[in-house]
Amino acid sequence: DRTHLEKWKKRVGEDNAKIISEKALDRGNHIHKQLENYILGKPNTELKYLLQFECIKKYIDRNMSIVLGIENKLYSKEMKLAGTADLIGIYKGKYSIIDFKGSDKPKKLQWISSYVLQCLIYAKMFKEMYDISIEQIVILVGVDNSYKAQEFILSLNDVNEYENMLIERFNKWEELNEI
């Protein structure tokens, strides 16, 4: 359901929406590439959004003890989905799906349910593929003009409301595809 996106485009204007979306895509691509290169021990050739990169990097340095994979291609035969997880490993002592995001302004958890759902799907895919249970979802947000990233950690034991949202979305998807 993309009605919220259509409302947003109307509110900010079609041209502004395009500019904002292009900036968000550019920021996300640069931050992801910087973090990927850093974790793989490659030189950083990206020069944009260095502040966001450095802020997220601090969390990785402090809390990541084992990297199981970066930019992992995942799929689920059961859900008939595929995707790429930013980072999977041991974060603060727990098996984790870690997602990197960039933002113009700080986020609140209630605003990022789609990020949580995305990570929840990755956790399910990882379990299906490797029979390893993910214990938590970690979302790290680099915020423009801020010297501190945001860290959202959700235990998979505490995501019932997101599980319900996911079931609702799958049910809607199936209904749409039956038409």
Side-chain angles (χ1 to χ4, degrees), residues 31 34-35 38 44 49-57:
I31 292 170
Q34 290 167 333
L35 289 163
Y38 173 70
N44 185 12
Y49 308 104
L50 288 173
L51 179 60
Q52 293 90 330
F53 159 71
E54 287 293 335
C55 291
I56 293 173
K57 177 180 159 298

Side-chain angles (χ1 to χ4, degrees), residues 69-109:
I70 183 159
E71 294 297 317
N72 280 85
K73 307 286 187 246
L74 300 171
Y75 66 91
S76 169
K77 291 179 183 176
E78 181 184 330
M79 292 184 284
K80 297 179 181 89
L81 291 173
T84 304
D86 293 345
L87 182 61
I88 301 172
I90 308 295
Y91 188 93
K92 291 188 177 182
K94 295 183 179 180
Y95 282 99
S96 304
I97 297 287
I98 300 104
D99 198 36
F100 309 132
K101 300 292 183 189
S103 179
D104 284 338
K105 56 186 180 236
K107 301 287 188 194
K108 292 183 180 180
L109 183 58

Side-chain angles (χ1 to χ4, degrees), residues 9-164:
K9 285 180 184 177
K10 261 187 187 170
R11 192 177 71 245
V12 301
E14 200 72 35
D15 291 340
N16 284 337
K18 185 177 179 185
I19 292 167
I20 293 167
S21 297
E22 286 173 356
K23 180 185 178 194
L25 181 62
D26 183 60
R27 177 179 48 224
N29 287 340
H30 282 277
I31 292 170
H32 275 80
K33 191 64 180 171
Q34 290 167 333
L35 289 163
E36 181 181 349
N37 285 343
Y38 173 70
I39 292 165
L40 292 173
K42 294 180 179 178
N44 185 12
T45 57
E46 304 290 323
L47 299 175
K48 293 172 90 176
Y49 308 104
L50 288 173
L51 179 60
Q52 293 90 330
F53 159 71
E54 287 293 335
C55 291
I56 293 173
K57 177 180 159 298
K58 288 176 189 173
Y59 281 89
I60 298 297
D61 289 344
R62 276 193 300 248
N63 301 303
M64 196 82 198
S65 57
I66 296 174
V67 172
L68 297 174
I70 183 159
E71 294 297 317
N72 280 85
K73 307 286 187 246
L74 300 171
Y75 66 91
S76 169
K77 291 179 183 176
E78 181 184 330
M79 292 184 284
K80 297 179 181 89
L81 291 173
T84 304
D86 293 345
L87 182 61
I88 301 172
I90 308 295
Y91 188 93
K92 291 188 177 182
K94 295 183 179 180
Y95 282 99
S96 304
I97 297 287
I98 300 104
D99 198 36
F100 309 132
K101 300 292 183 189
S103 179
D104 284 338
K105 56 186 180 236
K107 301 287 188 194
K108 292 183 180 180
L109 183 58
Q110 60 263 35
W111 299 345
I112 62 169
S113 60
S114 62
Y115 301 166
V116 177
L117 292 175
Q118 176 186 8
C119 292
L120 184 56
I121 289 170
Y122 292 155
K124 290 176 179 300
M125 289 178 185
F126 191 76
K127 171 70 173 165
E128 185 178 327
M129 289 176 68
Y130 299 104
D131 199 29
I132 297 172
S133 294
I134 295 296
E135 298 170 88
Q136 66 186 8
I137 291 166
V138 180
I139 300 168
L140 299 173
V141 182
V143 182
D144 289 358
N145 303 312
S146 175
Y147 291 97
K148 189 170 187 221
Q150 290 182 283
E151 177 191 55
F152 297 94
I153 299 178
L154 292 96
S155 166
L156 276 231
N157 295 327
D158 300 325
V159 295
N160 289 341
E161 68 182 278
Y162 295 100
E163 287 275 0
N164 293 336

